[in-house]
Amino acid sequence: MSILSMSKILFKSILHGPYTVLYPIRKKENYEHTRGRVDITVSDCIFCGLCQRRCPTGAIRVDKAGSTWSIERLQCIQCNYCGEVCPKKCLKMGNQYTSPSFGNVRDDYTNARVSDNTENH
Amino acid sequence: MGNRTVIPFGPQHPVLPEPIHLDLVLEDETVLEAVPRIGYIHRGLEKLVEKKDFQQYTYVAERICGICSFMHGMGYCMAIESIMDVKVPERAEFLRTIWAELSRMHSHLLWLGLLADAFGFESLFMHSWRLREQVLDIFEETTGGRIIFSVCEIGGVRKDVSPETLNKISGILLSMEKELKELAKVFLNDSSVKYRTRGIGVLSKQAAFDLGAVGPMAKASGINMDLRTQGYAAYSKLQFEPIVETDGDSYARTSVRLREIFQSIDLIKQAVSIIPEGEIRVKVTGNPNGEYFTRVEQPRGEVIYYVKANGSKFLDRFRVRTPTFANVPALLETLKGCALADIPILILTIDPCISCTER
Ligand code: SF4
Ligand code: SF4
């Protein structure tokens, strides 16, 4: 029977100081592979719509006519399935999270180059 | 005979963040009977197979529950792989085993913390979760996610782990093992902890068998049942003995889970030392056609997946029988005759996961 079995751990923990990080003064570094948010290099995108068809949550909208790729940030579950199926490899999982927000966040990316080309026709 | 009172427990109760409701029939302070009611967080995930194709469903399957997420994904993938006759590369099998065992550690550490919290030992709770945090960091580094990994896919795994990282994991586990041993002493030897767990909620071997208890609940009552001995993933290449206790009380269940953490550390070390080089995924083409049952040992016990496919990309039926669901009858048995004050601990000792149960 012991009643002070925890004392060694507690003593060590007092000497060690806090194990937590005092956010936001110190921020936790994300790992290289942390799945934060989907980033797109829109100049490489051919608007094939494969990512939209495969996304399990339907977070992606691809508008071929308008050359626009958009994503509902809060609907995305960071599974990176879109990044795997993309034939141009222009989607990748960045290690920074979307910042918190009160409403839905929708990011639109338009390929300016393609629109210019259409005008030049 | 004293007065009979019915006291509702839950659906929201401080001891458990998940909703389960029990009507407790009491005579004075003693429970005569408990009537459960579930269904508060049914999400219809099984029905979703009709809307998501079998590849997409991998990501749904691992979201059945946040604690055994990896094993849910793995069990589902194993079922589809068996239907489609896919041979998963050996390295992938080993990586799956390592992640599965790490999940077991994180689940049991979480549970130990919750148990400490239930009997009001807050510093023990904090220290259990501090250790768990190191496991979560390993997950984040190797898979990208802390809770939901999305690394298991049909035909293998999506991310490889470099030998340096594997060695680093062994190093972290080595230092964790030392700290865990000290923590285990508190859980198993401290008199105030023992006072709350020893001899409370005894489930006899026969009762555990008759009521179909699974996992640590059954193992603590002396039933030697561990599905890892069937040798799925890479378990057939690792040495281990299922952990069994005979007392059947809350103390035995704590002890089984604590010893399973050490066993997981040992299994991961073994796996790291013999993991072969090679591919981590094979390409899967076509659609599944057929049906299959998979059984996997989760931290909470045996889980069963039933998959029925019809040759199209949408499955006909997907069914999960989760360990908590199997353990509810055993829980009701242990509640009979216990004191009102012991109820939170007894409910915790089955390690309930209501999200799993209701899917
Ligand atoms: S799959 Fe790739 S190339 Fe196709 S629309 Fe999506 S991002 Fe663009
Ligand atoms: S990461 Fe997954 S959920 Fe998010 S957009 Fe890509 S496919 Fe959709």
Side-chain angles (χ1 to χ4, degrees), chain A residues 1-3 5 12 19 28 33-35 54 56 77 79-81 84, chain B residues 52 55-56 63 127 130 140 143-144 148-149 158 182 190-191 281:
Chain A
M1 278 284 168
S2 63
I3 47 167
S5 50
K12 260 198 223 158
Y19 285 93
K28 179 176 165 287
H33 295 302
T34 301
R35 290 200 315 272
R54 291 299 183 85
I77 52 171
C79 63
N80 201 24
Y81 194 25
E84 288 203 349
Chain B
K52 306 285 167 199
Q55 295 274 10
Q56 290 175 331
R63 281 165 176 80
H127 279 278
R130 173 174 65 79
E140 189 175 352
T143 69
I148 310 273
F149 313 150
R158 296 163 86 198
E182 285 177 20
D190 192 280
S191 53
R281 62 209 288 189

PDB file of all heavy atoms in Angstrom, chain A residues 1-3 5 12 19 28 33-35 54 56 77 79-81 84, chain B residues 52 55-56 63 127 130 140 143-144 148-149 158 182 190-191 281:
ATOM      1  N   MET A   1       0.841  -1.199   0.000  1.00  0.00           N
ATOM      2  CA  MET A   1       0.000   0.000   0.000  1.00  0.00           C
ATOM      3  C   MET A   1       0.876   1.248   0.000  1.00  0.00           C
ATOM      4  O   MET A   1       1.796   1.379   0.787  1.00  0.00           O
ATOM      5  CB  MET A   1      -0.853   0.012   1.275  1.00  0.00           C
ATOM      6  CG  MET A   1      -2.082  -0.845   1.159  1.00  0.00           C
ATOM      7  SD  MET A   1      -3.307  -0.008   0.160  1.00  0.00           S
ATOM      8  CE  MET A   1      -4.444  -1.342  -0.113  1.00  0.00           C
ATOM      9  N   SER A   2       0.589   2.096  -0.885  1.00  0.00           N
ATOM     10  CA  SER A   2       1.342   3.345  -0.856  1.00  0.00           C
ATOM     11  C   SER A   2       0.372   4.485  -1.102  1.00  0.00           C
ATOM     12  O   SER A   2      -0.599   4.332  -1.831  1.00  0.00           O
ATOM     13  CB  SER A   2       2.427   3.334  -1.922  1.00  0.00           C
ATOM     14  OG  SER A   2       1.811   3.247  -3.177  1.00  0.00           O
ATOM     15  N   ILE A   3       0.660   5.602  -0.473  1.00  0.00           N
ATOM     16  CA  ILE A   3      -0.241   6.724  -0.701  1.00  0.00           C
ATOM     17  C   ILE A   3       0.486   7.894  -1.367  1.00  0.00           C
ATOM     18  O   ILE A   3      -0.132   8.813  -1.840  1.00  0.00           O
ATOM     19  CB  ILE A   3      -0.904   7.218   0.615  1.00  0.00           C
ATOM     20  CG1 ILE A   3       0.137   7.367   1.704  1.00  0.00           C
ATOM     21  CG2 ILE A   3      -2.036   6.325   1.030  1.00  0.00           C
ATOM     22  CD1 ILE A   3      -0.375   8.140   2.896  1.00  0.00           C
ATOM     23  N   SER A   5       2.624   7.544  -4.022  1.00  0.00           N
ATOM     24  CA  SER A   5       3.293   7.004  -5.203  1.00  0.00           C
ATOM     25  C   SER A   5       3.443   8.028  -6.320  1.00  0.00           C
ATOM     26  O   SER A   5       4.277   7.887  -7.198  1.00  0.00           O
ATOM     27  CB  SER A   5       2.519   5.798  -5.720  1.00  0.00           C
ATOM     28  OG  SER A   5       1.173   6.138  -5.851  1.00  0.00           O
ATOM     29  N   LYS A  12       9.283  15.796 -10.206  1.00  0.00           N
ATOM     30  CA  LYS A  12       9.976  15.969 -11.490  1.00  0.00           C
ATOM     31  C   LYS A  12       9.283  17.016 -12.337  1.00  0.00           C
ATOM     32  O   LYS A  12       9.916  17.850 -12.986  1.00  0.00           O
ATOM     33  CB  LYS A  12       9.946  14.639 -12.254  1.00  0.00           C
ATOM     34  CG  LYS A  12      11.229  13.853 -12.163  1.00  0.00           C
ATOM     35  CD  LYS A  12      11.226  12.841 -13.287  1.00  0.00           C
ATOM     36  CE  LYS A  12      11.713  11.510 -12.805  1.00  0.00           C
ATOM     37  NZ  LYS A  12      11.264  10.401 -13.633  1.00  0.00           N
ATOM     38  N   TYR A  19       4.849  21.792 -19.607  1.00  0.00           N
ATOM     39  CA  TYR A  19       5.050  20.952 -20.794  1.00  0.00           C
ATOM     40  C   TYR A  19       4.310  21.537 -21.988  1.00  0.00           C
ATOM     41  O   TYR A  19       4.439  21.076 -23.092  1.00  0.00           O
ATOM     42  CB  TYR A  19       4.523  19.540 -20.532  1.00  0.00           C
ATOM     43  CG  TYR A  19       5.421  18.724 -19.635  1.00  0.00           C
ATOM     44  CD1 TYR A  19       5.211  18.692 -18.276  1.00  0.00           C
ATOM     45  CD2 TYR A  19       6.476  17.986 -20.161  1.00  0.00           C
ATOM     46  CE1 TYR A  19       6.035  17.951 -17.453  1.00  0.00           C
ATOM     47  CE2 TYR A  19       7.290  17.243 -19.349  1.00  0.00           C
ATOM     48  CZ  TYR A  19       7.065  17.228 -17.989  1.00  0.00           C
ATOM     49  OH  TYR A  19       7.870  16.487 -17.182  1.00  0.00           O
ATOM     50  N   LYS A  28       3.526  26.546 -32.145  1.00  0.00           N
ATOM     51  CA  LYS A  28       4.030  25.210 -32.408  1.00  0.00           C
ATOM     52  C   LYS A  28       4.428  25.113 -33.886  1.00  0.00           C
ATOM     53  O   LYS A  28       3.709  25.573 -34.761  1.00  0.00           O
ATOM     54  CB  LYS A  28       2.929  24.189 -32.098  1.00  0.00           C
ATOM     55  CG  LYS A  28       3.318  22.780 -32.356  1.00  0.00           C
ATOM     56  CD  LYS A  28       2.203  21.846 -31.919  1.00  0.00           C
ATOM     57  CE  LYS A  28       2.411  20.470 -32.491  1.00  0.00           C
ATOM     58  NZ  LYS A  28       2.153  20.362 -33.930  1.00  0.00           N
ATOM     59  N   HIS A  33       5.090  17.173 -43.064  1.00  0.00           N
ATOM     60  CA  HIS A  33       3.972  16.464 -43.689  1.00  0.00           C
ATOM     61  C   HIS A  33       2.622  16.787 -43.064  1.00  0.00           C
ATOM     62  O   HIS A  33       1.627  16.166 -43.419  1.00  0.00           O
ATOM     63  CB  HIS A  33       4.190  14.958 -43.608  1.00  0.00           C
ATOM     64  CG  HIS A  33       5.369  14.492 -44.391  1.00  0.00           C
ATOM     65  ND1 HIS A  33       5.476  14.717 -45.739  1.00  0.00           N
ATOM     66  CD2 HIS A  33       6.499  13.854 -44.016  1.00  0.00           C
ATOM     67  CE1 HIS A  33       6.618  14.220 -46.167  1.00  0.00           C
ATOM     68  NE2 HIS A  33       7.267  13.701 -45.137  1.00  0.00           N
ATOM     69  N   THR A  34       2.583  17.691 -42.102  1.00  0.00           N
ATOM     70  CA  THR A  34       1.300  18.028 -41.486  1.00  0.00           C
ATOM     71  C   THR A  34       0.291  18.400 -42.567  1.00  0.00           C
ATOM     72  O   THR A  34       0.598  19.179 -43.461  1.00  0.00           O
ATOM     73  CB  THR A  34       1.467  19.220 -40.532  1.00  0.00           C
ATOM     74  OG1 THR A  34       2.409  18.866 -39.547  1.00  0.00           O
ATOM     75  CG2 THR A  34       0.154  19.578 -39.859  1.00  0.00           C
ATOM     76  N   ARG A  35      -0.894  17.784 -42.477  1.00  0.00           N
ATOM     77  CA  ARG A  35      -1.897  18.105 -43.484  1.00  0.00           C
ATOM     78  C   ARG A  35      -2.690  19.331 -43.042  1.00  0.00           C
ATOM     79  O   ARG A  35      -3.597  19.234 -42.228  1.00  0.00           O
ATOM     80  CB  ARG A  35      -2.810  16.905 -43.708  1.00  0.00           C
ATOM     81  CG  ARG A  35      -2.109  15.764 -44.420  1.00  0.00           C
ATOM     82  CD  ARG A  35      -3.096  14.821 -45.064  1.00  0.00           C
ATOM     83  NE  ARG A  35      -4.193  14.528 -44.152  1.00  0.00           N
ATOM     84  CZ  ARG A  35      -4.166  13.547 -43.276  1.00  0.00           C
ATOM     85  NH1 ARG A  35      -3.139  12.759 -43.208  1.00  0.00           N
ATOM     86  NH2 ARG A  35      -5.178  13.343 -42.482  1.00  0.00           N
ATOM     87  N   ARG A  54     -13.705  13.425 -57.455  1.00  0.00           N
ATOM     88  CA  ARG A  54     -13.217  12.465 -56.477  1.00  0.00           C
ATOM     89  C   ARG A  54     -13.319  12.952 -55.031  1.00  0.00           C
ATOM     90  O   ARG A  54     -13.292  12.151 -54.113  1.00  0.00           O
ATOM     91  CB  ARG A  54     -11.760  12.130 -56.773  1.00  0.00           C
ATOM     92  CG  ARG A  54     -11.579  11.340 -58.044  1.00  0.00           C
ATOM     93  CD  ARG A  54     -12.301  10.004 -57.966  1.00  0.00           C
ATOM     94  NE  ARG A  54     -12.074   9.212 -59.160  1.00  0.00           N
ATOM     95  CZ  ARG A  54     -11.009   8.426 -59.314  1.00  0.00           C
ATOM     96  NH1 ARG A  54     -10.119   8.341 -58.373  1.00  0.00           N
ATOM     97  NH2 ARG A  54     -10.860   7.730 -60.406  1.00  0.00           N
ATOM     98  N   PRO A  56     -14.274  13.450 -51.511  1.00  0.00           N
ATOM     99  CA  PRO A  56     -15.336  12.780 -50.769  1.00  0.00           C
ATOM    100  C   PRO A  56     -16.373  13.736 -50.182  1.00  0.00           C
ATOM    101  O   PRO A  56     -17.501  13.342 -49.923  1.00  0.00           O
ATOM    102  CB  PRO A  56     -14.608  12.054 -49.635  1.00  0.00           C
ATOM    103  CG  PRO A  56     -13.168  12.145 -49.920  1.00  0.00           C
ATOM    104  CD  PRO A  56     -12.950  13.246 -50.898  1.00  0.00           C
ATOM    105  N   ILE A  77     -11.799  17.973 -45.722  1.00  0.00           N
ATOM    106  CA  ILE A  77     -11.371  17.184 -44.563  1.00  0.00           C
ATOM    107  C   ILE A  77      -9.892  16.827 -44.636  1.00  0.00           C
ATOM    108  O   ILE A  77      -9.424  15.922 -43.950  1.00  0.00           O
ATOM    109  CB  ILE A  77     -12.216  15.900 -44.428  1.00  0.00           C
ATOM    110  CG1 ILE A  77     -12.230  15.137 -45.752  1.00  0.00           C
ATOM    111  CG2 ILE A  77     -13.615  16.219 -43.968  1.00  0.00           C
ATOM    112  CD1 ILE A  77     -12.848  13.768 -45.651  1.00  0.00           C
ATOM    113  N   CYS A  79      -7.989  15.206 -46.733  1.00  0.00           N
ATOM    114  CA  CYS A  79      -7.622  13.812 -46.965  1.00  0.00           C
ATOM    115  C   CYS A  79      -6.562  13.694 -48.059  1.00  0.00           C
ATOM    116  O   CYS A  79      -5.914  12.674 -48.195  1.00  0.00           O
ATOM    117  CB  CYS A  79      -8.853  13.008 -47.349  1.00  0.00           C
ATOM    118  SG  CYS A  79      -9.601  13.549 -48.873  1.00  0.00           S
ATOM    119  N   ASN A  80      -6.421  14.730 -48.858  1.00  0.00           N
ATOM    120  CA  ASN A  80      -5.433  14.758 -49.948  1.00  0.00           C
ATOM    121  C   ASN A  80      -5.734  13.762 -51.067  1.00  0.00           C
ATOM    122  O   ASN A  80      -4.844  13.364 -51.802  1.00  0.00           O
ATOM    123  CB  ASN A  80      -4.017  14.516 -49.416  1.00  0.00           C
ATOM    124  CG  ASN A  80      -2.974  15.045 -50.383  1.00  0.00           C
ATOM    125  OD1 ASN A  80      -3.268  15.932 -51.178  1.00  0.00           O
ATOM    126  ND2 ASN A  80      -1.770  14.496 -50.350  1.00  0.00           N
ATOM    127  N   TYR A  81      -6.973  13.341 -51.184  1.00  0.00           N
ATOM    128  CA  TYR A  81      -7.342  12.459 -52.299  1.00  0.00           C
ATOM    129  C   TYR A  81      -7.259  13.248 -53.601  1.00  0.00           C
ATOM    130  O   TYR A  81      -6.798  12.736 -54.615  1.00  0.00           O
ATOM    131  CB  TYR A  81      -8.749  11.926 -52.052  1.00  0.00           C
ATOM    132  CG  TYR A  81      -9.163  10.763 -52.917  1.00  0.00           C
ATOM    133  CD1 TYR A  81      -8.218   9.913 -53.470  1.00  0.00           C
ATOM    134  CD2 TYR A  81     -10.502  10.503 -53.152  1.00  0.00           C
ATOM    135  CE1 TYR A  81      -8.607   8.840 -54.245  1.00  0.00           C
ATOM    136  CE2 TYR A  81     -10.901   9.441 -53.920  1.00  0.00           C
ATOM    137  CZ  TYR A  81      -9.950   8.607 -54.474  1.00  0.00           C
ATOM    138  OH  TYR A  81     -10.349   7.551 -55.239  1.00  0.00           O
ATOM    139  N   GLU A  84      -3.864  13.377 -55.023  1.00  0.00           N
ATOM    140  CA  GLU A  84      -3.380  12.138 -55.625  1.00  0.00           C
ATOM    141  C   GLU A  84      -3.934  11.900 -57.014  1.00  0.00           C
ATOM    142  O   GLU A  84      -3.276  11.288 -57.845  1.00  0.00           O
ATOM    143  CB  GLU A  84      -3.755  10.952 -54.731  1.00  0.00           C
ATOM    144  CG  GLU A  84      -2.915  10.948 -53.501  1.00  0.00           C
ATOM    145  CD  GLU A  84      -2.822   9.579 -52.873  1.00  0.00           C
ATOM    146  OE1 GLU A  84      -3.573   8.678 -53.267  1.00  0.00           O
ATOM    147  OE2 GLU A  84      -1.992   9.444 -51.970  1.00  0.00           O
TER     148      GLU A  84
ATOM    149  N   LYS B  52     -21.046   7.359 -51.672  1.00  0.00           N
ATOM    150  CA  LYS B  52     -19.613   7.534 -51.908  1.00  0.00           C
ATOM    151  C   LYS B  52     -19.076   6.242 -52.505  1.00  0.00           C
ATOM    152  O   LYS B  52     -19.427   5.153 -52.026  1.00  0.00           O
ATOM    153  CB  LYS B  52     -18.879   7.813 -50.590  1.00  0.00           C
ATOM    154  CG  LYS B  52     -19.450   8.975 -49.801  1.00  0.00           C
ATOM    155  CD  LYS B  52     -19.078  10.292 -50.396  1.00  0.00           C
ATOM    156  CE  LYS B  52     -19.919  11.395 -49.788  1.00  0.00           C
ATOM    157  NZ  LYS B  52     -19.930  12.611 -50.597  1.00  0.00           N
ATOM    158  N   GLN B  55     -13.690   3.746 -53.052  1.00  0.00           N
ATOM    159  CA  GLN B  55     -12.402   4.390 -52.756  1.00  0.00           C
ATOM    160  C   GLN B  55     -12.605   5.563 -51.806  1.00  0.00           C
ATOM    161  O   GLN B  55     -11.888   5.715 -50.824  1.00  0.00           O
ATOM    162  CB  GLN B  55     -11.755   4.908 -54.046  1.00  0.00           C
ATOM    163  CG  GLN B  55     -11.360   3.838 -55.037  1.00  0.00           C
ATOM    164  CD  GLN B  55      -9.982   3.280 -54.748  1.00  0.00           C
ATOM    165  OE1 GLN B  55      -9.387   3.546 -53.717  1.00  0.00           O
ATOM    166  NE2 GLN B  55      -9.487   2.471 -55.657  1.00  0.00           N
ATOM    167  N   GLN B  56     -13.591   6.392 -52.108  1.00  0.00           N
ATOM    168  CA  GLN B  56     -13.866   7.544 -51.243  1.00  0.00           C
ATOM    169  C   GLN B  56     -14.254   7.093 -49.849  1.00  0.00           C
ATOM    170  O   GLN B  56     -13.964   7.760 -48.874  1.00  0.00           O
ATOM    171  CB  GLN B  56     -15.023   8.372 -51.824  1.00  0.00           C
ATOM    172  CG  GLN B  56     -14.692   9.117 -53.089  1.00  0.00           C
ATOM    173  CD  GLN B  56     -15.925   9.814 -53.651  1.00  0.00           C
ATOM    174  OE1 GLN B  56     -17.046   9.354 -53.463  1.00  0.00           O
ATOM    175  NE2 GLN B  56     -15.712  10.913 -54.357  1.00  0.00           N
ATOM    176  N   ARG B  63     -13.485   7.798 -40.285  1.00  0.00           N
ATOM    177  CA  ARG B  63     -14.114   8.833 -39.474  1.00  0.00           C
ATOM    178  C   ARG B  63     -15.259   8.286 -38.635  1.00  0.00           C
ATOM    179  O   ARG B  63     -16.017   9.066 -38.055  1.00  0.00           O
ATOM    180  CB  ARG B  63     -14.572   9.981 -40.366  1.00  0.00           C
ATOM    181  CG  ARG B  63     -13.397  10.862 -40.731  1.00  0.00           C
ATOM    182  CD  ARG B  63     -13.647  11.801 -41.865  1.00  0.00           C
ATOM    183  NE  ARG B  63     -12.499  12.672 -42.069  1.00  0.00           N
ATOM    184  CZ  ARG B  63     -11.396  12.333 -42.713  1.00  0.00           C
ATOM    185  NH1 ARG B  63     -11.280  11.124 -43.210  1.00  0.00           N
ATOM    186  NH2 ARG B  63     -10.396  13.174 -42.850  1.00  0.00           N
ATOM    187  N   HIS B 127      -0.895  13.792 -16.517  1.00  0.00           N
ATOM    188  CA  HIS B 127       0.341  13.122 -16.907  1.00  0.00           C
ATOM    189  C   HIS B 127       0.087  11.999 -17.915  1.00  0.00           C
ATOM    190  O   HIS B 127       0.922  11.757 -18.779  1.00  0.00           O
ATOM    191  CB  HIS B 127       1.093  12.619 -15.677  1.00  0.00           C
ATOM    192  CG  HIS B 127       1.880  13.719 -15.024  1.00  0.00           C
ATOM    193  ND1 HIS B 127       3.116  14.101 -15.480  1.00  0.00           N
ATOM    194  CD2 HIS B 127       1.573  14.543 -14.011  1.00  0.00           C
ATOM    195  CE1 HIS B 127       3.546  15.125 -14.747  1.00  0.00           C
ATOM    196  NE2 HIS B 127       2.626  15.414 -13.846  1.00  0.00           N
ATOM    197  N   ARG B 130      -0.269  13.783 -21.101  1.00  0.00           N
ATOM    198  CA  ARG B 130       1.010  14.330 -21.560  1.00  0.00           C
ATOM    199  C   ARG B 130       1.767  13.262 -22.348  1.00  0.00           C
ATOM    200  O   ARG B 130       2.324  13.530 -23.414  1.00  0.00           O
ATOM    201  CB  ARG B 130       1.847  14.781 -20.361  1.00  0.00           C
ATOM    202  CG  ARG B 130       3.254  15.209 -20.718  1.00  0.00           C
ATOM    203  CD  ARG B 130       3.964  15.783 -19.518  1.00  0.00           C
ATOM    204  NE  ARG B 130       4.185  14.801 -18.465  1.00  0.00           N
ATOM    205  CZ  ARG B 130       5.172  13.901 -18.493  1.00  0.00           C
ATOM    206  NH1 ARG B 130       5.997  13.862 -19.515  1.00  0.00           N
ATOM    207  NH2 ARG B 130       5.323  13.041 -17.510  1.00  0.00           N
ATOM    208  N   GLU B 140       1.589  12.845 -36.192  1.00  0.00           N
ATOM    209  CA  GLU B 140       1.593  14.028 -37.045  1.00  0.00           C
ATOM    210  C   GLU B 140       2.832  14.030 -37.928  1.00  0.00           C
ATOM    211  O   GLU B 140       2.778  14.380 -39.100  1.00  0.00           O
ATOM    212  CB  GLU B 140       1.539  15.297 -36.195  1.00  0.00           C
ATOM    213  CG  GLU B 140       1.320  16.528 -37.063  1.00  0.00           C
ATOM    214  CD  GLU B 140       1.134  17.809 -36.276  1.00  0.00           C
ATOM    215  OE1 GLU B 140       1.018  17.740 -35.036  1.00  0.00           O
ATOM    216  OE2 GLU B 140       1.127  18.868 -36.909  1.00  0.00           O
ATOM    217  N   THR B 143       2.300  10.741 -40.476  1.00  0.00           N
ATOM    218  CA  THR B 143       1.140  10.633 -41.364  1.00  0.00           C
ATOM    219  C   THR B 143       0.582  11.985 -41.782  1.00  0.00           C
ATOM    220  O   THR B 143      -0.102  12.076 -42.787  1.00  0.00           O
ATOM    221  CB  THR B 143      -0.016   9.869 -40.690  1.00  0.00           C
ATOM    222  OG1 THR B 143      -0.541  10.689 -39.637  1.00  0.00           O
ATOM    223  CG2 THR B 143       0.444   8.567 -40.110  1.00  0.00           C
ATOM    224  N   GLY B 144       0.842  13.013 -41.006  1.00  0.00           N
ATOM    225  CA  GLY B 144       0.296  14.321 -41.346  1.00  0.00           C
ATOM    226  C   GLY B 144      -0.915  14.690 -40.514  1.00  0.00           C
ATOM    227  O   GLY B 144      -1.296  15.845 -40.452  1.00  0.00           O
ATOM    228  N   ILE B 148      -6.951  11.761 -37.311  1.00  0.00           N
ATOM    229  CA  ILE B 148      -7.392  11.094 -38.532  1.00  0.00           C
ATOM    230  C   ILE B 148      -6.201  11.120 -39.488  1.00  0.00           C
ATOM    231  O   ILE B 148      -5.723  12.190 -39.846  1.00  0.00           O
ATOM    232  CB  ILE B 148      -8.569  11.847 -39.163  1.00  0.00           C
ATOM    233  CG1 ILE B 148      -9.658  12.119 -38.131  1.00  0.00           C
ATOM    234  CG2 ILE B 148      -9.071  11.121 -40.379  1.00  0.00           C
ATOM    235  CD1 ILE B 148     -10.660  11.054 -37.938  1.00  0.00           C
ATOM    236  N   PHE B 149      -5.725   9.950 -39.884  1.00  0.00           N
ATOM    237  CA  PHE B 149      -4.441   9.938 -40.598  1.00  0.00           C
ATOM    238  C   PHE B 149      -4.586   9.933 -42.116  1.00  0.00           C
ATOM    239  O   PHE B 149      -3.700  10.405 -42.809  1.00  0.00           O
ATOM    240  CB  PHE B 149      -3.620   8.710 -40.204  1.00  0.00           C
ATOM    241  CG  PHE B 149      -3.562   8.463 -38.726  1.00  0.00           C
ATOM    242  CD1 PHE B 149      -3.434   7.187 -38.227  1.00  0.00           C
ATOM    243  CD2 PHE B 149      -3.624   9.517 -37.842  1.00  0.00           C
ATOM    244  CE1 PHE B 149      -3.381   6.954 -36.858  1.00  0.00           C
ATOM    245  CE2 PHE B 149      -3.570   9.298 -36.482  1.00  0.00           C
ATOM    246  CZ  PHE B 149      -3.451   8.018 -35.990  1.00  0.00           C
ATOM    247  N   ARG B 158      -0.346   5.136 -47.909  1.00  0.00           N
ATOM    248  CA  ARG B 158      -0.032   6.253 -48.805  1.00  0.00           C
ATOM    249  C   ARG B 158       1.282   6.951 -48.463  1.00  0.00           C
ATOM    250  O   ARG B 158       1.771   7.740 -49.239  1.00  0.00           O
ATOM    251  CB  ARG B 158      -1.164   7.270 -48.767  1.00  0.00           C
ATOM    252  CG  ARG B 158      -2.458   6.711 -49.281  1.00  0.00           C
ATOM    253  CD  ARG B 158      -3.608   7.574 -48.848  1.00  0.00           C
ATOM    254  NE  ARG B 158      -3.832   8.675 -49.765  1.00  0.00           N
ATOM    255  CZ  ARG B 158      -4.527   9.760 -49.451  1.00  0.00           C
ATOM    256  NH1 ARG B 158      -5.053   9.861 -48.256  1.00  0.00           N
ATOM    257  NH2 ARG B 158      -4.695  10.727 -50.317  1.00  0.00           N
ATOM    258  N   GLU B 182       6.485   4.447 -14.217  1.00  0.00           N
ATOM    259  CA  GLU B 182       6.181   5.187 -12.984  1.00  0.00           C
ATOM    260  C   GLU B 182       4.690   5.441 -12.860  1.00  0.00           C
ATOM    261  O   GLU B 182       4.110   5.330 -11.784  1.00  0.00           O
ATOM    262  CB  GLU B 182       6.946   6.508 -12.974  1.00  0.00           C
ATOM    263  CG  GLU B 182       8.410   6.302 -12.672  1.00  0.00           C
ATOM    264  CD  GLU B 182       9.192   7.592 -12.720  1.00  0.00           C
ATOM    265  OE1 GLU B 182       8.574   8.666 -12.621  1.00  0.00           O
ATOM    266  OE2 GLU B 182      10.418   7.505 -12.861  1.00  0.00           O
ATOM    267  N   ASP B 190      -1.194   2.552  -5.912  1.00  0.00           N
ATOM    268  CA  ASP B 190      -1.630   3.608  -5.006  1.00  0.00           C
ATOM    269  C   ASP B 190      -2.907   3.180  -4.273  1.00  0.00           C
ATOM    270  O   ASP B 190      -3.863   2.704  -4.891  1.00  0.00           O
ATOM    271  CB  ASP B 190      -1.887   4.893  -5.793  1.00  0.00           C
ATOM    272  CG  ASP B 190      -2.045   6.083  -4.881  1.00  0.00           C
ATOM    273  OD1 ASP B 190      -3.141   6.271  -4.320  1.00  0.00           O
ATOM    274  OD2 ASP B 190      -1.063   6.809  -4.721  1.00  0.00           O
ATOM    275  N   SER B 191      -2.912   3.369  -2.959  1.00  0.00           N
ATOM    276  CA  SER B 191      -4.037   2.824  -2.202  1.00  0.00           C
ATOM    277  C   SER B 191      -5.332   3.557  -2.506  1.00  0.00           C
ATOM    278  O   SER B 191      -6.394   2.946  -2.560  1.00  0.00           O
ATOM    279  CB  SER B 191      -3.736   2.879  -0.703  1.00  0.00           C
ATOM    280  OG  SER B 191      -3.370   4.186  -0.354  1.00  0.00           O
ATOM    281  N   ARG B 281       2.627   0.360 -51.753  1.00  0.00           N
ATOM    282  CA  ARG B 281       1.250   0.285 -52.266  1.00  0.00           C
ATOM    283  C   ARG B 281       1.242  -0.415 -53.622  1.00  0.00           C
ATOM    284  O   ARG B 281       2.214  -0.378 -54.354  1.00  0.00           O
ATOM    285  CB  ARG B 281       0.645   1.687 -52.389  1.00  0.00           C
ATOM    286  CG  ARG B 281       1.392   2.580 -53.364  1.00  0.00           C
ATOM    287  CD  ARG B 281       1.291   4.022 -52.998  1.00  0.00           C
ATOM    288  NE  ARG B 281      -0.027   4.566 -53.235  1.00  0.00           N
ATOM    289  CZ  ARG B 281      -0.310   5.869 -53.152  1.00  0.00           C
ATOM    290  NH1 ARG B 281       0.632   6.732 -52.826  1.00  0.00           N
ATOM    291  NH2 ARG B 281      -1.505   6.304 -53.352  1.00  0.00           N
TER     292      ARG B 281
END
